[in-house]
Amino acid sequence: MDTDELTQSVWDISEDEFPDDSPLGEQAEFLLRYAILAPSSHNSQPWRFAVRDDAIEISYDETRWLEVADQNKRELFISIGCALENLCIAAEHFDIGYEITYHTDKDDDLVSTVTLDSDSEPSFSRPPELFNELTERYTSHQLFDDQALPRRTREQFHRVLEEDDVTLYLIYEPEQKRSIGELQADADEAQMDDPAYRKELGYWVGIGALGSSWLMARIGQAFVSHFDFGEREGRKNSKLIEHAPVIALLATQGDTPAVRVKTGQVFERLALLASVEDVAVHPMSQILERPEMRTKLATRAGTGEELPQHLFRLGYVEEERTHTPRWPLEVVSSTER
Ligand SMILES: Cc1cc2nc3c(=O)[nH]c(=O)nc-3n(C[C@H](O)[C@H](O)[C@H](O)COP(=O)(O)O)c2cc1C
């Protein structure tokens, strides 16, 4: 993996450069410039794209899988789903129809094929205003203000869910948030206690994926890799949960790679809608990374038979938008003509 090529320049895209009169294959490559802006766990960007005529194949890149934190590849498939959703939103914006096929029942790294068709209409239309947020969205790690989300915003969140197999739970009850915050503290301690977890996190901090300058990233890597600061991290993160006006949880009936990809699509759609509404978003994965805690989360959040897939805070914060870097498209995509 070439770690030197992470760059911020991917965020400067002008839609005027869309190649209107070019073949679909070239247009597909332009759409992928939006796909790579998707969020991913530790900003690992575990996607690979291959453009073959009018079809885009999306595979996962095993070298960017978080083997320790994400043992059953839940976060990997959710991250791929986020990139897929960005691709759909960009295609709709430029009036290109598409069909998505999920291949995740097969035992290889091919996740999905998106077949573009200038003449077809997508079966479900995303709100058009999401497109502008593709280059604006970012993850916030701050303590959120104690300000409730208006009912209109909450209703909008529920309305953009198209997938029948993914359910959105919005949790406001202080007691319920407190008990999830407690679980978060336990999960942080357990994860940070594990030297392999710290080493993996340190690697991603060290290559600058999480956005600091090179020197700060190196210092960060040394700190994260060598010190067990789980208790401090746990205290901080449980406070972040308890003080957020809303904790959101996406849950699914099954636990297949396909429902995880769809969870990623739903999450990204919600994150972009949140960005339209100036609502900050912060995924928190440590509870879900520990199987025994994932079960406790299901009980505390009241998901019944459904399995928790992705947990994130929603709220308001005064903050400058800052972007984490990405590998440029040439690194993660290939074209066959
Ligand atoms: C599946 C998934 C899990 C994530 N888990 C966490 C997490 O546990 N803690 C956190 O601070 N951010 C988490 N994030 C946010 C990523 O760190 C963030 O998307 C990435 O660094 C890219 O930055 P950006 O979202 O600002 O573009 C997660 C994102 C995804 C898609």
Side-chain angles (χ1 to χ4, degrees), residues 11 37-43 75 78-79 82 137-139 141 209-210 267 282-286 289 310 322-324 326:
W11 292 94
L37 304 181
S40 60
S41 187
H42 288 10
N43 201 21
E75 292 166 33
I78 292 177
S79 302
C82 294
R137 182 214 57 80
Y138 72 105
T139 299
H141 302 89
L210 295 165
F267 167 64
H282 180 206
M284 300 183 86
S285 302
Q286 293 71 26
E289 289 166 355
H310 194 51
T322 53
H323 287 308
T324 50
R326 296 290 184 274

Side-chain angles (χ1 to χ4, degrees), residues 54-114:
D54 299 348
I56 302 170
E57 290 179 355
I58 309 178
S59 308
Y60 68 79
D61 180 345
E62 185 131 329
T63 67
R64 298 199 187 142
W65 166 41
L66 308 175
E67 240 177 298
V68 182
D70 184 31
Q71 291 185 10
N72 62 9
K73 299 199 173 92
R74 186 185 46 79
E75 292 166 33
L76 177 139
F77 285 115
I78 292 177
S79 302
I80 301 260
C82 294
L84 172 60
E85 186 64 15
N86 276 15
L87 179 58
C88 297
I89 290 167
E92 285 181 31
H93 179 78
F94 292 107
D95 275 333
I96 303 177
Y98 57 85
E99 217 171 274
I100 306 172
T101 314
Y102 299 89
H103 306 288
T104 43
D105 47 348
K106 300 207 195 83
D107 194 20
D108 64 17
D109 51 10
L110 182 61
V111 177
S112 159
T113 303
V114 179

